Amino acid sequence: MELFFLALLLILMAGALASGYPVAFALPGSAIITIGLAAGSGALFAGDMDAYFHSGGLSQWLTAGVTNLRGIYWEVERDTLIAIPLFIFMGIMLQRSKIAEDLLVAMAQLFGPVPGGLGISVVFVGALLAATTGILGATVVAMGMISLPAMLRNNYSVPLSTGTIAASGTLGQIIPPSIVLIILADQLSSATDQASSARKALHKATTGELSMPSAFDVTSTSAGEMFLGAFIPGLLLVALYMGYILVRALINPAAAPTVPFDAKVTGRYVAKLCLTLVSPLALIFLVLGSIIGGVATVNQAGAIGAAGAIIMAGYRLKEGGKNAYLPAILALVAIGMTAFALLNYDMNVKNIQTRNDQIGIWIGAIAAVLLLVSLTWSSIRTYRIQNTLSEVMLETAKTTSIVFVILLGAAMLTAAFRAFGGEELVKHFLEGLPGGFWTKFTIVMLVIFVLGFFLDYIEIAVVVVPIVAPILLADPSANITAVWLGVMIGLNIQTSFLTPPFGFALFYLRGVAPKVVKTIDMYKGVIPFIILQVAALGIVGAYPQLVNYLPTRVSLLSETAPPPRNPRLQICLEDHVHQALLNDEVAIHAALERVRGLDLSYLPNSTMNDLTVALSGIENSFNLIDNVKSAERTTETASVDYRSLHAEVRALQRRIWANEARMDQAETDIARARGDQDVIERAQTLITVMTHENADTLEQIPSEWTEEHKRFSEVLKAESKARSSYRREVDNTWDSLAELRAISLAGQAYVAVAAEFGPLIVAATTAEAEEAMSQIETLERKLRDIAGTDKIVSALGKARRALKGRKADPEKAVQQLVDAQALHQSGVAWRLRAEAELSAPLTALSDSVRLTVGLRQQPKLEKDQALALASCLSVHKNVSLNF
């Protein structure tokens, strides 16, 4: 019966949406009605309200609803959605203040003389507006009202004109900041948790190991990473649009003729043009630059954008009036002062120590006051002039409310879909398809593309993504990143605004287009751009680096970058080190020979042994990294023949596991049947059928599987052992080398404390115990800062403890202090000589291997290493053979 109610759920949802019923109520309404009917039918016909649910029941669905409500509105950790009203406000404010209109006019004049220049300017402005407003309706309407008459007046092809405007208006959905990307990031954050659990369960089922290496786990994404990931694909789409228009104009000049520049170039005109272009570009730089540079989170960048839009609207609405630009000038002065203070002073209020620190804080405070005055002044202007601020805030509240209600309704619908087994049905269907991940991915993309003909982007993002994303992310055969999947879905969803018959961009444009423009011309015009969007989807799918590189690069270069020892970095890090060792081999061996050529007979045996081990470890690292690469090549060779067998067997095993899950559910149904013989018989029949089917499936597993799997597992273990040996050796080598270098550099510091032992010996017998203990502890702290003094510090600690408590033994303390002094004196001569003769060669050797042998032990990656690893990590790697 759960399949019946699942079908009813989908029919009710489709019917409500098709009838034009508001989406915000169609989604939760269909869920509530279906859940209510299922619970009522179960209570009436089976005596159990949970009888017709696939898993759980009414109480579980209600619990899921409460959890989703709390997750969307009250979880502090889940603050991604806060950025939505901020960016909506920014976009509407820029549109209402005519800044977008000014930008269109200015760019049309600049690009007009170029073949297809007017169309190219529309695309360019569409991209700029996308990066500032992100509001599709406002962008399409603005460009339709301003650019369409100009294009038609200059004899542009009607289909090309309408297609260019409609397509350019949709760029705001993929070029950050974008509401679509924020919603997708929010949906994918929970999807990655489910995918991670599924992948861990798969690893346990296939390997028998209780824990899965973190390098194989699914990582989540954030709105900031989505913005970074979508940046290059967005520019790619802009380039494709511009290239198409230029080629079309060159092939058929009549379709996109040049437009002569008829304005008179004066100083006033140039100043106005610069102001028109610089202001939006500056806002883009502040919003996106703060995110890309890691200076601000997405929410903070949204606040920056909203404040910037208010200040820009303040001078635009009062253009030509007295003091029109004064608030903006105050804001610029405040920003300049803030930047100056941050660059030249310590701005930590809790750590004010000098007058210089106070000056920096005062400069920052004055800058904050000036910025507040500018923002308040601009807000008052936008409130008084045409009631702009009130209207923008009202429109922002309406749009935000719609988005959040749809999110909540979609969460309720998704919970109902899962309650009736819809997610399991989709999962079994996708996993049963031949061709692995890419077949599943292609089917999902096709479904989203088709849904785009009928549904809005929010409906697709919040209904489809939670269902299919965990399935796609959990598949280790592609091992895709969440940000790549989100950008791919975002690019696909973007086509929903252009695809007839329900493309929203077409509706918006139809509303402002003159009667001479026929609807069929609009349909013809968007077809080439839909094809270009599909082409962009293919390019980004084939080259995931276009999405993954920028987020990975920013992550590895940020202040919170993962350390080089992070497990997820190791394979790429070893690839980089292998190449770096080959490049630096001559220099490293030269540094080794320089140290070995020294007279080291004066060193103590323990220090000499440590140095010998360190030098041997550096030499051995070349062989060990070669062993790693050799084992890697062996694995790649073995995987060629094994991969197809592995895929075949795992597909059969997944079928068995799916049947076992159905059998478990049947057992649950029997337990809940309460004597209902029909339910019991159906469940027992299902168990029997599934048992026979599993037996038949087991017989299909090739006879050579056990032996081949064992052989390949040994190959994987050999590679893992080679990597572990390399990592252990280089870590120990670098630790020893760093310690020896620190010892060789600390000769003078070591000698400087020699005079402090005598007074301590006297104090141990003459002074109060507390005072003597305090003096000993002071010397301990000094020696801990000097490398290679552990034994001396240990002796001092014993002396201090001998003076403690009722059983204090001053004689024992004195003896320990004498021993510590003797240990110190025995090291003075050789340490001074080591500082003079050994410190420079050891420093040179340490510098030569710091970013190879010692790379794992560094606190963070340097730029060159981070860029190399970002390039490597941007490519999806198939890890399915480890499962």
Side-chain angles (χ1 to χ4, degrees):
M1 286 296 292
E2 61 265 20
L3 293 179
F4 168 78
F5 287 107
L6 178 62
L8 180 62
L9 173 70
L10 298 177
I11 290 170
L12 285 175
M13 181 190 71
L17 293 175
S19 66
Y21 200 72
V23 177
F25 303 107
L27 300 183
S30 56
I32 292 170
I33 292 171
T34 309
I35 289 288
L37 288 174
S41 300
L44 182 62
F45 298 112
D48 181 7
M49 287 193 298
D50 298 343
Y52 297 142
F53 289 82
H54 174 75
S55 60
L58 180 63
S59 59
Q60 184 172 327
W61 182 81
L62 291 172
T63 302
V66 172
T67 301
N68 288 326
L69 178 67
R70 184 172 64 247
I72 290 174
Y73 290 99
W74 285 304
E75 280 189 9
V76 177
E77 295 85 359
R78 190 177 178 181
D79 61 352
T80 304
L81 300 179
I82 295 174
I84 289 178
L86 295 172
F87 285 122
I88 290 175
F89 177 91
M90 179 178 72
I92 296 175
M93 179 62 77
L94 291 176
Q95 190 268 331
R96 291 291 182 90
S97 60
K98 307 296 184 182
I99 290 174
E101 181 178 328
D102 295 344
L103 192 60
L104 272 169
V105 173
M107 295 309 299
Q109 291 177 340
L110 281 179
F111 282 93
V114 180
L118 194 54
I120 292 174
S121 70
V122 170
V123 175
F124 186 82
V125 172
L128 290 181
L129 294 181
T132 52
T133 67
I135 308 299
L136 179 135
T139 304
V140 173
V141 168
M143 292 198 297
M145 294 178 66
I146 301 166
S147 296
L148 185 56
M151 295 177 83
L152 296 178
R153 188 167 56 250
N154 287 281
N155 300 318
Y156 263 66
S157 163
V158 175
L160 178 61
S161 301
T162 55
T164 300
I165 292 172
S168 301
T170 66
L171 289 171
Q173 304 310 303
I174 195 62
I175 293 180
S178 162
I179 307 302
V180 177
L181 297 176
I182 295 175
I183 294 174
L184 284 172
D186 180 69
Q187 298 297 316
L188 286 169
S189 64
S190 58
T192 50
D193 293 337
Q194 299 174 48
S196 176
S197 299
R199 189 176 285 192
K200 288 173 182 174
L202 176 63
H203 189 267
K204 182 180 178 181
T206 54
T207 66
E209 297 177 5
L210 295 178
S211 62
M212 181 181 71
S214 59
F216 299 148
D217 205 354
V218 181
T219 54
S220 186
T221 186
S222 63
E225 288 183 331
M226 290 292 291
F227 283 5
L228 292 170
F231 188 71
I232 296 176
L235 295 181
L236 171 66
L237 204 54
V238 171
L240 288 175
Y241 287 176
M242 289 183 172
Y244 165 72
I245 295 170
L246 181 61
V247 171
R248 178 83 180 268
L250 293 174
I251 294 174
N252 184 12
T258 59
V259 179
F261 181 73
D262 53 4
K264 186 177 181 181
V265 179
T266 62
R268 185 181 181 86
Y269 171 80
V270 172
K272 184 176 181 180
L273 181 64
C274 290
L275 181 63
T276 302
L277 294 177
V278 169
S279 299
L281 290 174
L283 188 60
I284 293 169
F285 175 78
L286 285 174
V287 174
L288 294 185
S290 62
I291 297 173
I292 294 173
V295 177
T297 65
V298 173
N299 296 336
Q300 293 165 346
I304 292 171
I310 291 175
I311 293 171
M312 289 170 63
Y315 70 72
R316 176 60 182 83
L317 291 171
K318 198 175 173 65
E319 188 175 26
K322 186 179 179 181
N323 298 325
Y325 296 101
L326 190 54
I329 293 172
L330 285 178
L332 291 174
V333 171
I335 292 172
M337 290 176 65
T338 303
F340 174 78
L342 290 172
L343 291 173
N344 294 279
Y345 299 95
D346 182 4
M347 300 298 288
N348 188 345
V349 178
K350 296 181 180 180
N351 192 34
I352 299 176
Q353 297 179 352
T354 65
R355 182 169 179 79
N356 201 46
D357 294 339
Q358 291 179 345
I359 293 173
I361 296 299
W362 273 108
I363 293 175
I366 294 170
V369 171
L370 288 178
L371 187 60
L372 187 61
V373 169
S374 170
L375 191 57
T376 304
W377 193 347
S378 299
S379 298
I380 293 172
R381 277 188 181 177
T382 56
Y383 177 76
R384 289 180 175 177
I385 300 175
Q386 302 173 12
N387 201 29
T388 303
L389 183 61
S390 298
E391 292 181 359
V392 170
M393 293 184 70
L394 183 62
E395 193 66 28
T396 300
K398 287 180 181 178
T399 307
T400 304
S401 300
I402 290 172
V403 171
F404 275 80
V405 171
I406 290 175
L407 284 172
L408 181 60
M412 296 172 68
L413 180 74
T414 303
F417 188 80
R418 288 175 178 148
F420 295 121
E423 186 176 36
E424 288 295 316
L425 200 65
V426 172
K427 181 179 179 181
H428 293 157
F429 167 73
L430 291 176
E431 290 184 346
L433 293 172
F437 169 83
W438 291 107
T439 300
K440 291 187 285 187
F441 179 74
T442 303
I443 293 294
V444 168
M445 288 290 107
L446 286 174
V447 168
I448 291 176
F449 181 78
V450 173
L451 288 175
F453 283 70
F454 310 101
L455 301 180
D456 191 7
Y457 70 95
I458 297 181
E459 300 157 35
I460 297 173
V462 299
V463 174
V464 179
V465 173
I467 296 169
V468 300
I471 300 170
L472 297 176
L473 289 170
D475 194 326
S477 65
N479 198 31
I480 60 172
T481 60
V483 65
W484 178 83
L485 180 61
V487 171
M488 290 293 287
I489 292 174
L491 278 170
N492 200 347
I493 288 176
Q494 188 183 350
T495 61
S496 67
F497 293 98
L498 296 179
T499 46
F502 301 117
F504 284 87
L506 302 178
F507 285 137
Y508 290 133
L509 187 56
R510 176 71 277 176
V512 297
K515 293 182 179 179
V516 69
V517 177
K518 298 178 181 179
T519 303
I520 191 67
D521 289 331
M522 295 171 60
Y523 288 176
K524 289 179 181 177
V526 296
I527 288 174
F529 291 95
I530 294 173
I531 294 172
L532 290 174
Q533 286 186 340
V534 173
L537 199 63
I539 293 170
V540 175
Y543 299 97
Q545 304 95 311
L546 295 174
V547 173
N548 293 329
Y549 177 75
L550 201 52
T552 307
R553 173 190 171 118
V554 170
S555 171
L556 294 179
L557 290 174
S558 69
E559 290 298 322
T560 57
R565 293 190 67 164
N566 186 293
R568 300 187 66 86
L569 307 179
Q570 294 314 299
I571 293 178
C572 286
L573 185 124
E574 283 154 13
D575 289 344
H576 169 73
V577 168
H578 179 255
Q579 187 59 49
L581 281 174
L582 291 177
N583 295 336
D584 300 342
E585 184 173 4
V586 174
I588 293 172
H589 277 103
L592 280 170
E593 291 307 314
R594 183 182 174 191
V595 174
R596 285 175 173 156
L598 298 173
D599 176 13
L600 303 174
S601 59
Y602 60 89
L603 294 176
N605 289 336
S606 60
T607 304
M608 187 64 190
N609 290 337
D610 290 343
L611 182 57
T612 302
V613 169
L615 298 180
S616 299
I618 294 172
E619 190 114 44
N620 197 31
S621 64
F622 290 90
N623 296 327
L624 289 173
I625 196 67
D626 287 340
N627 292 342
V628 168
K629 301 308 293 182
S630 177
E632 187 179 280
R633 288 191 293 270
T634 301
T635 303
E636 290 174 357
T637 302
S639 67
V640 174
D641 295 327
Y642 175 75
R643 191 178 299 278
S644 58
L645 177 64
H646 177 272
E648 178 187 354
V649 173
R650 292 305 186 215
L652 293 172
Q653 290 176 336
R654 282 195 298 270
R655 192 187 306 169
I656 293 172
W657 297 332
N659 288 343
E660 288 174 348
R662 296 178 66 185
M663 292 163 66
D664 290 341
Q665 182 60 43
E667 294 285 357
T668 303
D669 293 342
I670 292 174
R672 293 177 177 175
R674 297 181 180 179
D676 189 331
Q677 290 302 314
D678 290 338
V679 173
I680 293 173
E681 288 178 7
R682 285 198 301 270
Q684 289 176 340
T685 301
L686 177 64
I687 291 172
T688 303
V689 171
M690 294 294 99
T691 301
H692 288 305
E693 186 175 323
N694 280 356
D696 293 338
T697 305
L698 277 172
E699 292 180 359
Q700 297 176 36
I701 295 178
S703 58
E704 69 271 18
W705 162 248
T706 303
E707 188 63 31
E708 290 296 326
H709 176 61
K710 182 179 179 181
R711 185 180 296 114
F712 189 77
S713 296
E714 292 299 324
V715 172
L716 285 179
K717 287 179 182 177
E719 182 183 346
S720 177
K721 184 178 179 180
R723 293 187 185 278
S724 297
S725 298
Y726 164 77
R727 294 166 192 173
R728 184 170 55 251
E729 179 74 16
V730 295
D731 287 351
N732 292 336
T733 297
W734 177 257
D735 287 341
S736 297
L737 183 62
E739 176 74 8
L740 290 166
R741 177 175 177 269
I743 290 173
S744 71
L745 290 170
Q748 294 298 330
Y750 184 87
V751 173
V753 299
E756 299 188 30
F757 286 93
L760 283 183
I761 296 172
V762 175
T765 56
T766 61
E768 292 289 335
E770 291 295 330
E771 183 182 348
M773 289 167 61
S774 175
Q775 293 178 21
I776 294 172
E777 189 174 7
T778 299
L779 182 55
E780 282 183 76
R781 285 197 297 268
K782 290 181 180 179
L783 286 169
R784 284 195 189 98
D785 293 334
I786 302 172
T789 59
D790 293 343
K791 291 182 179 180
I792 303 175
V793 171
S794 176
L796 290 173
K798 291 177 182 178
R800 179 168 45 82
R801 287 190 293 274
L803 295 172
K804 189 175 182 181
R806 294 181 180 179
K807 296 183 179 181
D809 188 349
E811 291 183 4
K812 182 179 179 181
V814 169
Q815 184 58 49
Q816 292 294 339
L817 290 172
V818 170
D819 291 344
Q821 186 179 35
L823 283 171
H824 180 270
Q825 288 175 346
S826 67
V828 170
W830 72 262
R831 277 177 174 268
L832 288 174
R833 185 173 176 184
E835 185 173 31
E837 299 177 8
L838 185 60
S839 60
L842 274 184
T843 298
L845 178 60
S846 176
D847 291 343
S848 70
V849 298
R850 183 173 66 87
L851 298 178
T852 50
V853 173
L855 184 56
R856 276 172 46 86
Q857 298 292 78
Q858 302 308 310
K860 64 180 295 184
L861 295 166
E862 294 193 357
K863 184 175 181 180
D864 290 344
Q865 286 68 43
L867 296 183
L869 263 64
S871 235
C872 175
L873 292 168
S874 298
V875 182
H876 296 148
K877 293 178 175 62
N878 185 339
V879 297
S880 62
L881 297 184
N882 295 278
F883 287 77

